[in-house]
Amino acid sequence: MYSTLPADAPPIREPLHAPVAHLVRGGVVEGVHYGSVVVLGPDGDAELTLGDAEAAFHPRSAVKPLQAVAMVRAGLPLDGELLSLAAASHSGEERHLAGTRSILAAAGLTEERLRNVPDLPFGAAVRDTWVREGRPPSRLAQNCSGKHAAMLYTCALNGWSLDDYLDPAHPLQQAIAEIVEDLTGQRIAQVTVDGCGAPLFSVSLHGLARAAARIVTAAPGTPEARVADAMRQHPEMASGSGRDVSALMRAVPGLLAKDGFEGVQVAALPDGRAVAVKIADGADRARVPVAAAALARAGVDPAALAAFAGRPLLGGGRPVGAIRPVPALAPPAAVHV
């Protein structure tokens, strides 16, 4: 069960990753993806651990639901699509840009106050169109703009300074750090800077899974439940059209899922079962198949996860292989739900 007091920070070390997926071509293992996986049961106990789930690591954008919870606890009044966008790594679609403008407008601000790094849209199709039209990188198009707009709104509501809202010593970031420790159940090991410029808090993979489980099992109406409901009801606002993370939430009823750069994935079910994945080399092609296998290992019906087995490996234009999660991730012989 979960403790109410944060444990010590996870150790900072070279993670002891293990094989989590094989790249099989023509019946021969052509490559091996190393990484770490943890599967939690509804009681919070680890039912399966591969690799090193206890070392400090960077959850990257998989921490955004926790950041959103902290902002709601600090008074952020968003719900629905806009709260989902506050926890998003969005594709830069027009609805994402419009939603970010709406959050800023509610705070009486414009996009010039954003301090995230200008970038092209994250969604491949949206980015291609953006480039064809000759549009430059922008803070609004960058995939974290919804989170940054929500951060500014939270600061405005609390009377906190705006220009330095990304400083780890800022009241907003201190509030977020406190919630990260609360939900993960452990002290933060290290504070650095994420790609968008926001503070990034190092926890363990186990801690990330524990936080996701606590968010989905929180009582209705709590900040945690509001964030979970918003993301599950509006998964395309938390990601984008055709993105695997939104498709995963659509395929598994009640699932909360969030991806992160460098091969990170976390997902949790309403009864508290949760999985977290880190692919050691950051390869995205292994993230979804391994996460799907971990969910099946947690008891999700494999039939609901069939679409997430990964793209086939091609030879001469025809399938000759696949990415196969290691046998340890195979679901036990049981009734799946």
Side-chain angles (χ1 to χ4, degrees):
M1 298 298 290
Y2 301 119
S3 171
T4 57
L5 296 176
D8 290 341
I12 298 175
R13 64 186 180 215
E14 181 178 348
L16 305 173
H17 291 305
V20 294
H22 294 148
L23 188 69
V24 180
R25 181 184 296 270
V28 173
V29 175
E30 184 177 37
V32 179
H33 284 291
Y34 282 71
S36 295
V37 179
V38 63
V39 177
L40 303 185
D43 58 0
D45 291 339
E47 296 186 343
L48 175 72
T49 301
L50 293 178
D52 195 346
E54 306 302 338
F57 92 118
H58 297 318
R60 302 302 298 270
S61 285
V63 80
K64 284 178 178 175
L66 286 67
Q67 293 170 314
V69 168
M71 289 188 278
V72 173
R73 286 197 191 183
L76 184 69
L78 301 178
D79 279 301
E81 290 189 347
L82 295 184
L83 182 53
S84 184
L85 182 61
S89 299
H90 66 70
S91 291
E93 299 166 26
E94 185 51 45
R95 60 179 160 181
H96 301 133
L97 307 187
T100 300
R101 291 191 188 100
S102 293
I103 296 172
L104 289 168
L109 303 171
T110 63
E111 60 188 89
E112 284 71 29
R113 302 307 294 265
L114 294 170
R115 291 292 179 267
N116 56 317
V117 176
D119 201 356
L120 296 172
F122 180 69
V126 184
R127 182 172 62 249
D128 289 346
T129 299
W130 193 280
V131 171
R132 282 197 304 271
E133 293 174 350
R135 302 170 72 178
S138 79
R139 299 184 193 276
L140 198 66
Q142 197 267 340
N143 76 89
C144 302
S145 64
K147 176 186 76 175
H148 282 255
M151 285 181 169
L152 284 167
Y153 193 6
T154 304
C155 290
L157 289 168
N158 285 279
W160 296 332
S161 58
L162 302 181
D163 290 341
D164 61 342
Y165 74 94
L166 296 182
D167 188 329
H170 190 280
L172 170 68
Q173 302 303 336
Q174 290 292 299
I176 290 174
E178 180 180 341
I179 299 308
V180 168
E181 292 189 333
D182 177 21
L183 293 177
T184 62
Q186 60 189 180
R187 301 294 181 190
I188 292 166
Q190 186 71 278
V191 181
T192 184
V193 183
D194 210 342
C196 67
L200 177 62
F201 306 106
S202 300
V203 294
S204 72
L205 196 66
H206 192 166
L208 179 64
R210 185 163 47 233
R214 294 186 65 183
I215 289 172
V216 297
T217 58
T222 60
E224 292 89 339
R226 284 172 57 189
V227 170
D229 289 345
M231 294 180 68
R232 291 181 294 195
Q233 292 167 11
H234 306 280
E236 285 79 15
M237 285 299 281
S239 53
S241 301
R243 294 269 295 280
D244 55 68
V245 69
S246 60
L248 191 58
M249 284 193 275
R250 294 285 187 197
V252 182
L255 184 73
L256 176 69
K258 185 69 187 75
D259 54 346
F261 281 157
E262 295 301 322
V264 180
Q265 180 77 54
V266 67
L269 292 151
D271 64 358
R273 288 174 291 163
V275 306
V277 171
K278 164 63 181 176
I279 305 301
D281 61 2
D284 211 43
R285 69 180 180 185
R287 171 181 56 85
V288 176
V290 171
L295 285 168
R297 183 67 172 73
V300 175
D301 185 354
L305 300 165
F308 305 97
R311 296 177 181 176
L313 300 179
L314 302 180
R318 61 184 180 86
V320 294
I323 292 179
R324 296 177 183 167
V326 295
L329 286 169
V335 176
H336 297 283
V337 296

